[in-house]
Amino acid sequence: MKEQTVPYLCGGVFFVLLTEAKGKSASRRKLKCGKKDRVSNRNMLEALIQMLMPSFKQPTVGRTFEGDTSDYRSCKVSYGANLPFDDGVEINRFDDRVKNRYLSVLDDMERFVEEYLKTESDERMQWLTQALLTLIDKDTLIKPNEQFYLSDTPITKSELLALNHYCLSALLIGIWHYIIMHRPDNMRGRSTFEAWHCRSNGTNGRWNFISNIGKNYPKPITYQLFGENKGESWTEDRSGVEDMGELIDGAYEGELPKVEVYEAPFTDPITQKQVVAEFHVEAKDNGVAIGQVFGGLVIGKRGNKDE
């Protein structure tokens, strides 16, 4: 028999905390006026699955995805036809993206936070951060040296809990990646789900969340919703050097300038930001521009070659 612990970190338990922290659903009146309910549980789970499998869409025929979402959240199932958490090819692809193309995954998670979690209430996001950290701390089956990817360089559970400031988007990536790679048995979280909820009106009533997890965190911590590059909004083009020709065409007339792209990625020693690429543009009029790509495009001063 597998060792049991409460709380137990798995996809359903993680999803419970996300749905408790999410922004309020649209009212019936707003829905009648055409406003889309963008924070439904099924839409949130679809977005999480799309980080694993970008092509995934909610099924429109057969068993409703809402039922799958409810079963996953309550830790009754681990995977299924509409829950591809056993797809080894997609799991390996997601693992590779987190480890080797981390900024692209961060973009996805920032969209998720913006779409489903960000509200006017800082207290809700503070609680979510504290609840997630408490869950990791109290799950004794997660050993102190196990790793979480809050960047492309992992840190251990002990190092994670020792921090005083967190980027919520990065924390969500680290936990979701850990679940996908190390906690495939979602049904082991059923005891945690039942400990965190009580049922109203007998055995067929609604499950109400009653847990105090995260409300009394043992030390003061701060958080930010997005990474350091969020100021360069992900709604802008962040494809880096691939679309640099279009930028150059708009900046210069006539003959295209000479472009040199240096080795990357690396960490800028001054800003400590990860640089995706560094480039040097030499124009026909003897002008020169240098810059770096952090995920968004940052162009430095344009001056004379001899400067």
Side-chain angles (χ1 to χ4, degrees), residues 21-290:
K22 71 179 182 179
K24 293 183 178 180
S25 301
S27 65
R28 290 183 180 180
R29 178 179 298 179
K30 290 182 178 180
L31 289 172
K32 288 181 179 179
C33 294
K35 180 178 176 63
K36 185 179 179 182
D37 182 4
R38 305 174 74 180
V39 290
S40 67
N41 288 358
R42 64 180 184 275
N43 287 351
M44 289 183 72
L45 185 58
E46 177 187 44
L48 285 175
I49 294 175
Q50 286 174 344
M51 293 184 201
L52 175 69
M53 181 185 290
S55 62
F56 179 83
K57 297 292 183 183
Q58 292 184 38
T60 56
V61 295
R63 187 180 180 211
T64 65
F65 189 62
E66 187 159 355
D68 295 314
T69 300
S70 177
D71 286 349
Y72 186 74
R73 183 181 182 275
S74 59
C75 303
K76 290 183 176 180
V77 298
S78 296
Y79 51 84
N82 298 326
L83 300 172
F85 297 117
D86 61 338
D87 190 322
V89 173
E90 298 295 344
I91 288 172
N92 290 336
R93 178 183 175 277
F94 177 60
D95 184 42
D96 177 73
R97 283 186 68 211
V98 170
K99 293 177 178 178
N100 299 305
R101 289 175 289 158
Y102 185 84
L103 290 180
S104 70
V105 185
L106 183 61
D107 270 354
D108 293 341
M109 189 58 81
E110 287 181 346
R111 287 187 181 95
F112 178 86
V113 171
E114 181 80 30
E115 186 81 3
Y116 299 106
L117 296 178
K118 183 180 177 182
T119 69
E120 300 298 325
S121 171
D122 291 336
E123 289 77 12
R124 297 184 74 85
M125 297 300 96
Q126 180 77 34
W127 169 80
L128 176 60
T129 304
Q130 294 177 177
L132 292 169
L133 294 172
T134 302
L135 174 57
I136 294 171
D137 183 28
K138 299 301 183 183
D139 185 342
T140 57
L141 297 181
I142 305 176
K143 304 307 179 185
N145 62 346
E146 290 197 63
Q147 295 182 330
F148 291 83
Y149 281 83
L150 272 67
S151 70
D152 53 3
T153 302
I155 60 175
T156 66
K157 171 181 175 177
S158 296
E159 292 169 333
L160 171 62
L161 296 175
L163 298 174
N164 296 313
H165 181 75
Y166 297 88
C167 168
L168 180 58
S169 297
L171 180 62
L172 294 176
I173 290 173
I175 296 173
W176 189 228
H177 175 262
Y178 180 86
I179 290 168
I180 294 298
M181 300 307 300
H182 303 291
R183 294 291 173 91
D185 188 354
N186 187 52
M187 290 186 286
R188 291 184 69 182
R190 181 63 183 180
S191 296
T192 301
F193 178 85
E194 292 180 348
W196 283 3
H197 295 79
C198 70
R199 223 169 189 177
S200 59
N201 302 322
T203 57
N204 295 320
R206 175 185 176 85
W207 287 99
N208 297 312
F209 186 76
I210 59 171
S211 175
N212 289 321
I213 186 169
K215 292 183 178 179
N216 297 299
Y217 200 68
K219 67 175 183 178
I221 62 168
T222 57
Y223 79 95
Q224 61 190 64
L225 290 178
F226 307 110
E228 294 298 329
N229 290 331
K230 184 61 177 72
E232 302 150 13
S233 172
W234 39 250
T235 59
E236 301 171 2
D237 177 27
R238 298 186 68 177
S239 57
V241 296
E242 294 178 1
D243 294 322
M244 196 176 295
E246 182 179 343
L247 177 137
I248 292 169
D249 284 340
Y252 299 93
E253 296 180 356
E255 183 180 341
L256 288 178
K258 178 182 178 182
V259 179
E260 297 178 12
V261 180
Y262 302 108
E263 291 186 3
F266 63 92
T267 300
D268 189 296
I270 298 176
T271 66
Q272 295 302 309
K273 292 183 179 180
Q274 185 185 47
V275 179
V276 178
E278 187 170 61
F279 61 90
H280 180 105
V281 181
E282 201 169 286
K284 184 178 179 181
D285 63 357
N286 292 327
V288 60
I290 60 173

